[in-house]
């Protein structure tokens, strides 16, 4: 579904060159949910932006097996990036409006999405009236609006409080199981990475590269019991050790 | 809301004070009417002209020129700014000359504009246009350049067409900045319209002023000045209202 072939990225600016990503390859199958973790600056956002076509790689290429779809990827940015002049509902329907989906059909979809992300009652609020977490939820709803087969999420829950975060985690897991989307999720939380992912990619910084990939063999659907299972706790401990080594 | 009410009250009080001073100077103080006609005589003159159908055509003419010049100037200012924003080559070539033109005193060029474009409507609109164009252009260019780069990412991600990008993202995102230019341009447009009418033609509030001066009809002169000031205030209020209604998303809510 997503083939990463020897992707590398170098930024050259006034203050010299930054190697954001060293060449690496990876194959992500259709319907996988791959978590990506790694210290700040290791190129996680850059990788996602390259896959989304927002950044051109210095070398290598990305192949999306989405057979010429106009909008193959939905993207949830690190901070929401809503259109400040539009209400929550208008923001969520923006991808639909701009691809010619009829009004009534769009209305129905927006209603469902607002329920899904728990923003009922805030349909007509402007972004400036929302908290960071609410904006992020609106951004998630927008990314889902036109039903892209691939969903790229860059720390989507970092501005959300812990309880909401757990709810949204389960919600994301449910959406993923139901829709069979291919999801790449960047996160700073090793628990979140292990809890949601079928695989966890660990990246290391300076220069950014893929350090190791872990297969997560936990039964699905996952829930509170998963978080107490020895397999889960072992994986989290291993990931945490690896992260600690890298930041020292 | 209460803030707005108070502003209106303060505004009204200042105007009332000004009116009172005027009345005092022309009445009890005894300034001669050909220098300072009384408020009553000015209002009577205006009323008589209105009743005779001699006033509205002049007002309509001036307003029409201002609105036309403002519209054309705004459209072209925004479009050229967008062209420069989108094509770095044009930006490099044109930015220098435009800055020079921008600082050139357009009012001083008014006679030249009349020589070039004749005594009719065209010259008037061109003068107003030249006054509106630059502030709007400058505001729009600053606005386009200040667009959050992540909005460009979003537009690219959604594969928006060039028209969708312009109308649904870039234009709206820069609207507050464009509007700053329009507000400056509107005041300039009023000045330009009056000036153009001083110089040629036989219509408009500006013409009325020169006519009244030449024939020593001071009440008409005062009336025309009063109406021009009034129109300026109405325009200002209207623009503020538009801003409050459509650009409030840009202003953080008070908490
Ligand atoms: N547009 C750019 N120009 C120059 N350097 C850049 C640019 N974008 C990213 N970089 C550099 O590339 C490296 C990787 O950045 P990236 O944003 O991908 O890291 P990240 O893993 O997402 O970090 P974080 O966890 O803090 O979000 C960093 O060293 C960063 O400074
Ligand atoms: Mg990042």
């Amino acid at each position: 579904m997503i083939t990463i072939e020897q992707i590398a990225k170098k930024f050259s600016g006034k203050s010299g060159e930054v190697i954001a990503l060293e060449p690496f390859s990876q194959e992500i199958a259709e319907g996988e949910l791959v978590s990506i973790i790694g210290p700040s600056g290791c190129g996680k956002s850059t990788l996602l932006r390259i896959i989304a076509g927002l950044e051109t790689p210095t070398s290598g290429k990305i192949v999306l097996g989405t057979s010429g779809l106009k909008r193959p990827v939905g993207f949830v940015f690190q901070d929401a990036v809503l259109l400040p002049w539009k209400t929550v509902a208008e923001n969520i329907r923006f991808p639909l409006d701009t691809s010619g989906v009829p009004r009534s059909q769009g209305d129905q979809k927006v209603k469902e999405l607002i329920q899904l992300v728990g923003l009922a009652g805030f349909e007509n609020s402007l972004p400036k009236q929302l908290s960071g977490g609410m904006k992020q939820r609106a951004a998630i709803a927008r990314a889902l609006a036109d039903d892209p087969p691939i969903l790229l999420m860059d720390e989507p829950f970092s501005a959300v409080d812990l309880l909401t975060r757990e709810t949204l985690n389960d919600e994301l897991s449910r959406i993923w199981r139901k829709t069979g989307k291919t999801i790449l999720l960047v996160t700073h939380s090793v628990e979140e990475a292990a809890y949601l992912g079928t695989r966890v990619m660990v990246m290391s910084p300076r220069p950014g590269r893929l350090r190791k990939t872990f297969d997560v063999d936990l039964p699905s659907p996952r829930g509170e019991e998963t978080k107490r299972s020895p397999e889960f706790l072992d994986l989290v401990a291993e990931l945490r050790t690896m992260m600690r080594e890298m930041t020292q | 809301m209460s803030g707005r009410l108070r502003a209106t009250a303060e505004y009204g009080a200042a105007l009332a004070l000004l009116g009172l001073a005027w009345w005092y100077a022309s009445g009890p103080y005894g300034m001669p009417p050909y220098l300072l006609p009384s408020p009553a005589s000015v209002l009577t003159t205006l009323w008589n002209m209105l009743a005779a159908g001699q006033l509205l055509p002049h007002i309509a003419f001036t307003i029409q020129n201002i609105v036309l010049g403002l519209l054309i100037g705004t459209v072209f200012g925004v479009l050229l700014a967008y062209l420069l924003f989108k094509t770095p080559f044009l930006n490099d070539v044109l930015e220098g000359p435009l800055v020079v033109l921008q600082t050139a005193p357009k009012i001083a060029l008014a006679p030249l504009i009349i020589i070039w474009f004749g005594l009719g409507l065209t010259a008037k609109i061109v003068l107003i246009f030249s006054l509106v164009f630059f502030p709007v252009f400058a505001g729009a260019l600053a606005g386009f350049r200040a667009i959050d780069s992540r909005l460009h990412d979003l537009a690219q991600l959604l594969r928006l067409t060039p028209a969708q990008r312009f109308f649904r993202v870039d234009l709206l995102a820069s609207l507050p900045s464009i509007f700053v230019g329009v507000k400056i341009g509107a005041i300039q447009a009023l000045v330009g319209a009056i000036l153009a009418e001083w110089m040629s033609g036989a219509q408009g509030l500006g013409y009325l002023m020169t006519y009244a001066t030449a024939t020593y009809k001071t009440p008409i002169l005062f009336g025309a000045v009063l109406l021009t000031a009034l129109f300026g205030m109405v325009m200002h209020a209207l623009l503020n209202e538009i801003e409050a209604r459509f650009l409030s998303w840009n202003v953080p809510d008070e908490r």
Side-chain angles (χ1 to χ4, degrees):
Chain A
M1 187 82 192
I2 304 175
T3 312
I4 303 170
E5 269 177 41
Q6 291 300 310
I7 282 294
K9 180 71 186 179
K10 214 164 21 182
F11 287 106
S12 21
K14 292 179 197 91
S15 52
E17 285 186 338
V18 181
I19 298 173
L21 281 176
E22 285 214 315
F24 80 97
S25 299
Q26 191 69 219
E27 191 76 42
I28 294 159
E30 187 169 337
E32 265 198 279
L33 196 164
V34 177
S35 310
I36 303 172
I37 58 171
S40 190
C42 67
K44 305 181 295 294
S45 297
T46 306
L47 174 63
L48 249 53
R49 290 173 59 82
I50 291 174
I51 295 173
L54 294 175
E55 208 89 67
T56 37
T58 316
S59 64
K61 68 172 179 180
I62 299 283
V63 182
L64 303 179
T66 47
S67 55
L69 216 64
K70 187 180 159 226
R71 287 175 188 166
V73 298
F75 202 110
V76 181
F77 294 90
Q78 207 159 347
D79 27 22
V81 194
L82 299 174
L83 301 175
W85 55 87
K86 284 185 180 292
T87 64
V88 168
E90 288 167 347
N91 262 293
I92 296 174
R93 62 176 306 145
F94 189 61
L96 302 173
D97 284 347
T98 50
S99 57
V101 172
R103 192 104 208 146
S104 56
Q105 201 180 323
D107 283 342
Q108 187 52 40
K109 184 82 198 177
V110 169
K111 216 171 182 178
E112 287 169 25
L113 287 167
I114 283 183
Q115 287 296 337
L116 181 70
V117 295
L119 279 177
F122 293 93
E123 291 85 348
N124 299 319
S125 303
L126 286 172
K128 67 171 182 177
Q129 297 164 322
L130 303 183
S131 71
M134 290 160 89
K135 280 186 217 165
Q136 204 58 20
R137 280 187 268 165
I140 292 169
R142 178 181 61 194
L144 292 169
D146 59 356
D147 217 4
I150 299 173
L151 198 56
L152 306 175
M153 308 177 90
D154 195 351
E155 296 180 35
F157 307 131
S158 50
V160 179
D161 66 90
L162 200 65
L163 268 176
T164 315
R165 185 167 188 153
E166 286 179 351
T167 315
L168 287 175
N169 277 177
D170 288 329
E171 215 42 81
L172 177 64
S173 187
R174 199 182 59 78
I175 293 167
W176 168 66
R177 268 180 280 118
K178 197 176 113 195
T179 59
K181 288 185 195 305
T182 311
I183 301 181
L184 258 67
L185 172 80
V186 169
T187 173
H188 270 292
S189 152
V190 288
E191 284 86 1
E192 192 170 88
Y195 181 63
L196 292 174
T198 52
R199 252 196 303 166
V200 179
M201 280 169 62
V202 182
M203 296 178 68
S204 62
R206 283 175 298 276
R209 58 173 184 269
L210 181 60
R211 169 88 179 254
K212 193 168 178 188
T213 316
F214 293 84
D215 288 315
V216 185
D217 288 317
L218 296 170
S220 180
R222 298 173 190 169
E224 285 308 310
E225 333 68 76
T226 314
K227 290 180 186 169
R228 287 190 295 269
S229 71
E231 293 87 347
F232 176 80
L233 293 171
D234 284 350
L235 178 59
V236 167
E238 195 175 349
L239 290 172
R240 183 160 285 138
T241 310
M242 187 170 262
M243 289 286 280
R244 197 168 295 136
E245 277 167 16
M246 283 189 287
T247 41
Q248 267 158 13
Chain B
M1 192 65 220
S2 75
R4 215 153 127 195
L5 214 68
R6 212 174 100 200
T8 314
E10 282 172 5
Y11 214 61
L15 282 180
L17 211 65
L18 206 66
L20 198 72
W22 178 12
W23 167 82
Y24 180 79
S26 64
Y29 184 73
M31 291 266 282
Y34 65 90
L35 288 182
L36 189 71
S38 71
S41 72
V42 169
L43 289 180
T44 317
T45 308
L46 281 181
W47 177 252
N48 290 340
M49 285 178 75
L50 185 70
Q54 291 167 337
L55 195 56
L56 280 182
H58 291 295
I59 296 178
F61 184 73
T62 302
I63 292 181
Q64 166 211 296
N65 292 351
I66 291 173
V67 170
L68 271 179
L70 200 55
L71 275 180
I72 302 173
T74 299
V75 168
F76 278 85
V78 170
L79 286 184
L80 188 68
Y82 199 61
L83 206 63
L84 257 64
F85 169 66
K86 279 287 175 186
T87 36
F89 165 72
L90 272 184
N91 188 56
D92 295 345
V93 175
L94 287 180
E95 194 167 16
L98 279 167
V99 169
V100 174
L101 273 179
Q102 189 176 348
T103 48
K106 260 75 65 186
I107 296 280
L109 295 179
L112 192 65
I113 289 177
I114 294 203
I115 290 176
W116 284 348
F117 295 95
L119 298 173
L121 190 64
T122 318
K124 295 186 171 61
I125 303 285
V126 168
L127 179 64
I128 300 171
F129 169 88
S130 73
L131 288 166
V132 172
F133 175 83
F134 288 98
V136 174
F137 168 77
L141 192 57
F144 290 136
R145 284 178 179 164
I147 295 175
D148 187 341
S149 71
R150 295 167 311 171
L151 291 187
H152 297 310
D153 287 345
L154 181 69
Q156 191 177 344
L157 199 75
L158 294 178
R159 307 271 196 275
L160 298 192
T161 63
Q164 283 175 330
R165 264 182 189 239
F166 176 67
F167 285 111
R168 312 200 60 152
V169 180
D170 295 346
L171 182 64
L172 293 170
S174 327
L175 219 48
S177 184
I178 292 172
F179 210 73
V180 172
V182 171
K183 277 169 111 176
I184 298 171
I187 296 163
Q188 301 267 316
L190 183 61
V191 175
I194 298 296
L195 185 88
E197 288 163 7
W198 282 355
M199 292 196 304
S200 72
Q203 242 187 323
L205 289 172
Y207 162 74
L208 218 53
M209 291 176 197
T210 47
Y211 161 77
T213 312
T215 53
Y216 291 98
K217 296 196 169 77
T218 323
I220 296 186
L221 174 62
F222 266 74
V225 171
L226 215 60
L227 284 174
T228 307
L230 192 71
F231 180 66
M233 281 190 259
V234 169
M235 199 162 62
H236 187 72
L238 206 68
L239 289 171
N240 278 345
E241 186 59 37
I242 292 174
E243 192 171 31
R245 183 156 308 176
F246 294 105
L247 298 176
S248 62
W249 56 265
N250 191 43
V251 187
D253 277 353
E254 289 163 35
R255 298 199 177 204

